[in-house]
Amino acid sequence: MAKKKSKKEKKGDNAKKPVNGAVAKGKSIFAVIKGKITPRRLIVLLIIIAAIIGWKIYSNQKAEKEAETAIVKVGDVREELILTGEIKADLHAQMRFPTSGKLGWIGVSEGDWVYKGQALASLNKTTLDAAYQQARSNLRKYDSTVDRVHDDLQGKDETETYTEIETRVTAESSKDYYYDALRTAEYNLRNANLIAPFAGFVTYTASSFAGVNVLFSDIQIELIDPATIYFDVSADQSEVTNLNLGQKVIVILDSFPDKEFEGEISYISYTPKTGEVGSVYEIKVIFPVIEPEFEHIRIGMTGDAKFTLSEKQDALYIPIEFINTDKEGKYVNLGSINNKVYVEVGIEGEDTVEIKGDIRKGDVVFD
């Protein structure tokens, strides 16, 4: 007679049955998993999923709050070439005496306006005049000597001895030497006065009083006509082809960072500058309108010149740093940091860039 199994033994037998047995009896794996997830476990799982989603949303919102944004605008976009240069002047003279001596007279001070042909300063002419008179006397002396030698040798064109030739050549050479000495002395005496070559302002004087010794190598007076001031820049061979005479230019000087001076190209060199590495060409930018600030502009002031190469009006544009690039092309994050919208890029300015595509004025882009 068979012995009945206890409840404990039945429970043990059930525990030893494999899951595959349930599948074999027609139950799916999902049914088995469903049987193992209790309501309590399900609630915990849902809470974890909700927390992950919430954290993701919070992270995106925080990132968007911290990200820089820009608004798509409509306006003018310019492609510019920026070159560094300095202020110069066409009429700018640094005046020196042709010889050293004592300053006998000075008639101007720094800041004076002078006229073309006006005497500005003079050397003491005592020694210069003495040198001139001595040179004249020596020339007369050797001129007479040459005349006497020629008289002595008259009619000896074919019979002149070597001694007579030497005597004649010595006399003629001495006359030539003192003729050149007279010309030099005359030049030094005539140029002992510094004369203004053009009308302008005196911007520098080496001395404000007479009686001091000066060297011929030292600048004594500096003169400038402010109406001839221009901005000088250099462009290499790849840049100069984009520039044209009369082209408008904006000049910003380092001394006036908040002021834009309007200018135009007046000269483009046909030959490169000497002493430069590579082919570099001089560009002159003049200022058609004399503005109040010109009173404070000085030779040698540096700054930047902006040349407009291309321009488009009423274009959609954004700051250039909001354009991103991947393997598919250029895009912007439109409306959020995770919304890529691919765009075409047009004219690129210094700070802004033209954009084309599925984007409108007023849209917000994220960095």
Side-chain angles (χ1 to χ4, degrees):
M1 185 174 178
K3 186 178 178 182
K4 287 186 178 182
K5 292 184 179 181
S6 65
K7 292 182 178 181
K8 187 175 181 180
E9 289 175 331
K10 290 181 179 180
K11 186 177 181 181
D13 291 342
N14 291 335
K16 293 178 182 179
K17 291 181 180 180
V19 176
N20 291 339
V23 175
K25 293 180 180 180
K27 293 183 179 180
S28 68
I29 185 67
F30 299 104
V32 174
I33 293 174
K34 183 177 179 182
K36 288 184 173 292
I37 297 178
T38 64
R40 183 177 180 181
R41 289 179 178 176
L42 181 60
I43 292 173
V44 172
L45 181 60
L46 293 175
I47 292 174
I48 292 173
I49 294 173
I52 293 173
I53 295 174
W55 177 81
K56 186 66 175 177
I57 294 173
Y58 170 77
S59 298
N60 289 341
Q61 290 176 344
K62 183 179 180 182
E64 290 185 359
K65 287 181 180 180
E66 294 176 352
E68 295 185 7
T69 60
I71 297 176
V72 179
K73 298 180 180 179
V74 174
D76 299 341
V77 181
R78 299 180 182 87
E79 180 184 1
E80 297 176 328
L81 171 65
I82 301 178
L83 299 176
T84 300
E86 65 176 312
I87 292 291
K88 293 184 179 180
D90 283 321
L91 296 182
H92 176 214
Q94 295 177 323
M95 308 179 70
R96 301 173 176 86
F97 290 111
T99 185
S100 301
K102 182 176 289 187
L103 189 62
W105 169 78
I106 184 164
V108 293
S109 301
E110 292 180 5
D112 288 351
W113 175 267
V114 297
Y115 298 93
K116 182 178 180 179
Q118 180 177 335
L120 307 179
S122 175
L123 288 175
N124 187 305
K125 299 178 182 177
T126 303
T127 56
L128 296 174
D129 185 64
Y132 172 73
Q133 296 300 335
Q134 186 177 8
R136 286 187 62 187
S137 298
N138 288 330
L139 180 61
R140 286 198 303 270
K141 174 184 175 181
Y142 284 94
D143 190 30
S144 298
T145 300
V146 169
D147 290 342
R148 179 181 59 79
V149 171
H150 285 175
D151 285 343
D152 294 342
L153 299 177
Q154 190 174 8
K156 292 187 176 183
D157 294 345
E158 301 295 335
T159 61
E160 193 176 23
T161 66
Y162 287 115
T163 301
E164 290 171 337
I165 292 174
E166 181 183 5
T167 300
R168 177 176 56 80
V169 171
T170 300
E172 290 173 346
S173 298
S174 297
K175 177 183 176 180
D176 293 340
Y177 173 82
Y178 284 106
Y179 174 76
D180 291 337
L182 177 61
R183 291 179 59 194
T184 301
E186 184 181 16
Y187 175 83
N188 290 337
L189 183 60
R190 184 173 62 248
N191 290 282
N193 295 325
L194 293 182
I195 306 298
F198 52 83
F201 280 108
V202 175
T203 60
Y204 170 77
T205 58
S207 179
S208 58
F209 53 87
V212 297
N213 291 318
V214 298
L215 296 175
F216 72 93
S217 58
D218 293 341
I219 297 172
Q220 299 302 318
I221 294 177
E222 192 166 7
L223 188 64
I224 184 172
D225 181 359
T228 65
I229 280 177
Y230 67 92
F231 193 71
D232 181 77
V233 299
S234 298
D236 65 31
Q237 57 186 340
S238 64
E239 298 166 336
V240 72
T241 55
N242 296 315
L243 306 178
N244 301 289
L245 291 176
Q247 186 173 340
K248 300 301 180 183
V249 186
I250 296 297
V251 175
I252 301 177
L253 298 176
D254 296 335
S255 302
F256 302 92
D258 299 324
K259 174 66 178 177
E260 293 185 348
F261 297 95
E262 295 183 1
E264 62 181 45
I265 298 176
S266 66
Y267 172 76
I268 301 175
S269 175
Y270 281 95
T271 56
K273 286 184 174 182
T274 58
E276 297 284 346
V277 178
S279 298
V280 179
Y281 299 84
E282 180 184 15
I283 310 294
K284 288 185 179 180
V285 177
I286 61 172
F287 304 96
V289 179
I290 304 299
E291 303 189 43
E293 289 83 358
F294 270 58
E295 181 180 352
H296 305 288
I297 289 180
R298 299 292 182 266
I299 299 297
M301 285 186 174
T302 57
D304 294 326
K306 295 182 178 182
F307 302 84
T308 300
L309 304 182
S310 59
E311 181 178 7
K312 186 172 182 180
Q313 299 178 340
D314 298 328
L316 288 173
Y317 70 88
I318 59 173
I320 197 167
E321 61 267 21
F322 286 84
I323 297 292
N324 302 291
T325 305
D326 62 13
K327 62 182 180 180
E328 295 184 21
K330 297 183 182 297
Y331 68 91
V332 295
N333 295 315
L334 183 62
S336 70
I337 60 174
N338 295 318
N339 183 30
K340 285 186 180 181
V341 175
Y342 288 91
V343 295
E344 294 182 17
V345 173
I347 295 175
E348 293 188 22
E350 181 182 5
D351 301 312
T352 59
V353 59
E354 177 193 7
I355 54 173
K356 305 173 184 178
D358 189 15
I359 195 167
R360 295 175 298 176
K361 174 184 177 181
D363 287 344
V364 177
V365 293
F366 286 76
D367 191 6

